[in-house]
């Protein structure tokens, strides 16, 4: 089958197109012919080796973290799916590889595709929708009447998190550029801070939760907008010891992660709030919850651009250069099209 592989860590030059054997299908696996996959910042960080300490993929490996497609085979123990089902998924972190014709995914990580979406639209959602759910529902436990700040509202996570937070009945603030003010307003943001004109930390106060996909100085500034007891949840900040325990890291890695996050955790305690790092997990059950919201119209995907599968490297470069105006970038497969040499 066709695939885009990371041959060596360290940048664009390490990714190549090639033919690889079809995946093996275990007893609990669903074999999916991929119709579309989307590009995430996680793909770039994985390609560059930023997560080697916690995600030690052995090169060469197939890149890609979410998909939509059709079931073409099932393992002996699979009970939830049948050949012909249209599905979408974020494979488990140990079984990535969606920039390919086929993938075998554990049945627990797969869900029936929302009926109201195209394959390209569905492929844009699993990773960012699960991230939003796990941050706002699982970890933050948002309740009606609370206030949440979602940074980078026009980004992949932001566009979905705004809609989910709105559905949960909370007041939603977001940061964005002038060009995307109308978009985030249409998604349900109540308060919009144009970061080209205002510093969010000077105009927002007494928030219950901040969801941060940016990291860096944004973390420190975010502490100032939280009320005592508030929560800063980051998907881009330094990992913490709780995350290290969650993934079963060895004591040395746990200590290193605790040290990396020491400064922001200390500052959070000073503000009487908490900081935590979130690395989303695959979950078919949560995708099914999200599917009901999608088909009911509470959440809609935002797709910036669609590339053909043969231009997957260009799609990665497009995202890396920050050229996406809003939402996600998707690659779609065309059966029989040869990969570039």
């Amino acid at each position: 089958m066709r695939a885009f592989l990371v041959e060596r860590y360290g940048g664009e030059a390490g990714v190549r197109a090639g033919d690889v054997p079809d995946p093996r299908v275990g007893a609990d696996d669903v074999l999916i012919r991929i119709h579309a996959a989307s590009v995430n910042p996680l793909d770039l960080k994985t390609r560059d080796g930023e997560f080697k300490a916690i995600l030690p993929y052995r090169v060469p490996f197939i890149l890609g973290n979410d998909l939509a497609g059709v079931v073409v085979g099932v393992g002996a123990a699979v009970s939830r799916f049948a050949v012909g089902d249209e599905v979408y998924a974020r494979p488990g972190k140990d079984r990535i590889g969606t920039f390919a014709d086929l993938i075998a995914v554990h049945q627990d990580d797969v869900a029936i595709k929302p009926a109201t979406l195209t394959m390209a639209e569905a492929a844009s959602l699993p990773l960012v929708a699960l991230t939003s759910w796990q941050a706002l529902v699982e970890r933050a436990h948002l309740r009606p009447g609370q206030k949440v700040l979602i940074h980078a509202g026009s980004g992949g996570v932001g566009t979905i998190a705004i809609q989910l937070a709105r559905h949960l009945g909370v007041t939603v603030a977001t940061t964005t550029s002038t060009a995307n003010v109308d978009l985030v307003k249409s998604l349900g943001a109540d308060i919009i801070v144009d970061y080209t004109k205002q510093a969010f930390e000077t105009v927002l106060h007494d928030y219950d939760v901040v969801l941060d996909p940016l990291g860096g100085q944004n973390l420190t500034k975010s502490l100032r907008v939280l009320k005592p007891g508030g929560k800063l949840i980051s998907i881009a900040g330094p990992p913490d010891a709780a995350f290290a325990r969650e993934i079963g890291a060895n004591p040395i890695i746990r200590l290193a992660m605790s040290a990396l996050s020491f400064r922001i955790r200390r500052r959070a305690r000073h503000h009487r709030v908490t900081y935590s790092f979130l690395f989303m997990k695959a979950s078919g059950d949560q995708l099914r919850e999200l599917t009901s919201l999608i088909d009911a119209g509470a959440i809609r995907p935002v797709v910036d651009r669609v590339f053909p599968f043969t231009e997957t490297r260009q799609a990665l470069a497009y995202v890396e250069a920050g050229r996406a105006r809003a939402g996600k970038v998707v690659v779609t497969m065309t059966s029989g099209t040869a990969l570039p040499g």
Side-chain angles (χ1 to χ4, degrees):
M1 69 173 184
R2 306 170 305 165
F4 277 85
L5 305 103
V6 175
E7 276 198 316
R8 63 182 185 276
Y9 288 112
E12 181 181 357
V15 178
R16 71 166 178 88
D19 290 310
V20 298
D22 290 356
R24 295 181 178 180
V25 181
D28 288 296
D29 290 345
V30 177
L31 182 63
I32 302 167
R33 180 165 296 282
I34 299 170
H35 284 219
S38 72
V39 180
N40 296 282
L42 176 60
D43 299 312
L44 300 168
K45 293 178 180 180
T46 301
R47 179 201 68 184
D48 294 346
E50 291 186 26
F51 290 124
K52 278 195 294 186
I54 57 175
L55 299 173
Y57 301 122
R58 294 180 60 184
V59 294
F61 63 90
I62 303 171
L63 201 56
N65 282 277
D66 47 13
L67 69 104
V70 175
V71 175
V72 293
V74 295
V78 172
S79 57
R80 293 178 175 175
F81 303 96
V83 171
D85 285 345
E86 294 189 344
V87 297
Y88 70 149
R90 191 287 201 229
K93 62 181 175 60
D94 299 323
R95 302 182 65 177
I96 67 169
T98 63
F99 297 148
D101 284 321
L102 296 165
I103 189 170
V105 184
H106 195 287
Q107 64 174 333
D108 290 348
D109 300 335
V110 181
I112 296 295
K113 178 184 78 68
T116 54
L117 301 185
T118 66
M119 286 288 185
E121 290 171 332
S124 75
L125 287 173
L127 188 144
V128 295
L130 287 169
T131 299
S132 300
W133 182 276
Q134 290 166 21
L136 302 182
V137 177
E138 261 196 338
R139 187 164 298 185
H141 306 291
L142 280 177
R143 303 183 304 277
Q146 291 188 307
K147 295 162 57 178
V148 62
L149 167 59
I150 296 166
H151 284 295
S154 64
V157 170
T159 54
I160 304 306
I162 288 171
Q163 296 176 79
L164 178 58
R166 184 69 170 174
H167 171 75
L168 295 172
V170 302
T171 298
V172 184
T174 193
T175 55
T176 194
S177 65
T178 306
N180 288 315
V181 167
D182 289 341
L183 170 66
V184 297
K185 184 181 295 184
S186 74
L187 296 175
D190 300 292
I191 301 163
I192 302 165
V193 179
D194 181 343
Y195 64 75
T196 69
K197 299 176 180 178
Q198 291 178 300
F200 72 88
E201 70 274 18
T202 66
V203 295
L204 303 177
H205 306 283
D206 297 321
Y207 275 71
D208 298 281
V209 177
V210 175
L211 174 56
D212 166 66
L214 300 174
Q217 289 298 313
N218 209 61
L219 291 175
T220 304
K221 294 176 182 178
S222 293
L223 295 173
R224 304 178 200 170
V225 310
L226 288 165
K227 64 169 61 172
K231 300 175 181 179
L232 170 57
I233 302 168
S234 180
I235 60 175
D240 53 16
F243 168 68
R245 289 192 298 271
E246 185 179 311
I247 64 172
N250 64 51
I252 295 174
I253 296 294
R254 291 186 195 181
L255 186 62
M257 289 188 182
S258 181
L260 284 171
S261 60
F262 173 76
R263 182 173 297 178
I264 186 64
R265 288 186 290 109
R266 182 178 62 184
R267 288 177 174 171
R269 286 195 299 271
H270 176 74
H271 287 271
R272 292 183 292 161
V273 301
T274 60
Y275 165 82
S276 64
F277 173 76
L278 174 68
F279 191 93
M280 59 77 58
K281 303 180 292 294
S283 173
D285 287 340
Q286 291 177 0
L287 276 181
R288 279 182 278 278
E289 296 269 9
L290 287 156
T291 296
S292 65
L293 298 180
I294 294 162
D295 282 339
I299 294 175
R300 63 179 174 89
V302 177
V303 176
D304 176 87
R305 182 172 171 184
V306 177
F307 287 79
F309 181 54
T310 52
E311 296 180 10
T312 296
R313 286 184 64 180
Q314 291 92 321
L316 288 163
Y318 181 84
V319 172
E320 186 171 26
R323 295 173 62 192
R325 178 179 178 272
K328 295 292 294 294
V329 170
V330 175
V331 295
T332 57
M333 285 56 174
T334 303
S335 181
T337 303
L339 287 170

